Amino acid sequence: AQSVTQLGSHVSVSEGALVLLRCNYSSSVPPYLFWYVQYPNQGLQLLLKYTSAATLVKGINGFEAEFKKSETSFHLTKPSAHMSDAAEYFCAVRGGNQFYFGTGTSLTVIP
Amino acid sequence: EAQVTQNPRYLITVTGKKLTVTCSQNMNHEYMSWYRQDPGLGLRQIYYSMNVEVTDKGDVPEGYKVSRKEKRNFPLILESPSPNQTSLYFCASSLNPGTAYEQYFGPGTRLTVT
């Protein structure tokens, strides 16, 4: 069965600092992986997705993620945090006809 | 505008009173799904539908029903709500889960069962 693990339910960074949100997946087949962002009182919005075309995936708002098969990881990064990046972030994997989400990481950006 | 809509956005009800949360998408997506979001648990899939008249259980289907009579609509039915179904619910749709297509999410329905 597929699953994702997000390490760190809360991450705080200073404005302008590197953002690193961790996601490890478990999948018996080459996975399709996704990162979503959820702003307060809103639905989830796609940040980026891995579809096996390239291991380094660029998304919206300056975010990117690198697929590392050997580490079964798909960590999300952004070189310089902005106040507007404060939100909840979810990693997800498609398994068969279902999608499996991690428990989420709440990002706080300190001015 | 391409979107997934849910109604109502907020609902407070009492134990045992049947309710329906509607979901509609205007993107001609085959795949639709319902999730519940609970603190510390992330999103868990309740039911999904591959196409009209095709539905299947997700990871937490107990206490819920769905139907897919039209491609655009996928209502979530709670026949006898209980307090443990208090949660934030999201409807989502996708072109086809057999590929890398991502899901598009509705704005959420916050349900409180007293």
Side-chain angles (χ1 to χ4, degrees):
Chain A
Q2 283 74 22
S3 66
V4 292
T5 302
Q6 291 184 242
L7 295 175
S9 58
H10 298 276
V11 171
S12 294
V13 299
S14 298
E15 190 175 16
L18 172 72
V19 175
L20 171 60
L21 305 182
R22 300 178 186 275
C23 173
N24 287 88
Y25 69 91
S26 170
S27 176
S28 58
V29 297
Y32 291 138
L33 294 158
F34 307 84
W35 274 101
Y36 286 88
V37 60
Q38 183 182 31
Y39 298 104
N41 298 315
Q42 294 187 28
L44 280 72
Q45 176 184 354
L46 182 73
L47 274 177
L48 50 81
K49 63 182 180 182
Y50 169 73
T51 62
S52 76
T55 56
L56 183 63
V57 182
K58 295 187 182 299
I60 62 171
N61 301 337
F63 284 93
E64 62 182 37
E66 185 173 9
F67 173 73
K68 291 187 177 180
K69 185 177 179 180
S70 62
E71 299 177 7
T72 60
S73 68
F74 190 56
H75 302 330
L76 182 70
T77 60
K78 182 174 181 177
S80 177
H82 191 272
M83 296 299 294
S84 61
D85 294 327
E88 186 97 17
Y89 292 80
F90 292 95
C91 183
V93 64
R94 178 182 69 77
N97 294 327
Q98 292 188 245
F99 292 83
Y100 300 91
F101 285 78
T103 53
T105 298
S106 178
L107 176 66
T108 300
V109 182
I110 304 165
Chain B
E1 179 189 357
Q3 60 183 350
V4 178
T5 57
Q6 296 178 229
N7 283 293
R9 293 289 312 278
Y10 302 90
L11 180 59
I12 301 174
T13 189
V14 296
T15 298
K17 185 176 181 181
K18 180 180 178 180
L19 67 90
T20 299
V21 183
T22 64
C23 173
S24 182
Q25 51 93 6
N26 61 2
M27 295 170 279
N28 202 35
H29 286 170
E30 292 93 351
Y31 185 91
M32 297 187 73
S33 180
W34 276 102
Y35 296 87
R36 60 178 291 173
Q37 182 181 9
D38 301 291
L41 297 178
L43 278 78
R44 294 178 293 168
Q45 196 167 34
I46 303 171
Y47 269 95
Y48 63 94
S49 170
M50 300 286 289
N51 214 321
V52 176
E53 302 292 0
V54 180
T55 63
D56 212 340
K57 296 178 180 179
D59 294 327
V60 288
E62 294 76 21
Y64 304 95
K65 286 177 57 176
V66 294
S67 68
R68 186 92 181 271
K69 293 181 169 55
E70 303 167 284
K71 195 172 188 178
R72 63 182 292 126
N73 297 323
F74 191 46
L76 179 68
I77 303 158
L78 284 71
E79 295 268 2
S80 183
S82 62
N84 64 12
Q85 293 178 298
T86 292
S87 187
L88 179 58
Y89 291 87
F90 287 102
C91 181
S93 72
S94 171
L95 265 173
N96 189 324
T99 65
Y101 290 115
E102 66 273 18
Q103 294 181 97
Y104 293 80
F105 284 82
T109 295
R110 186 166 293 280
L111 172 65
T112 301
V113 184
T114 62

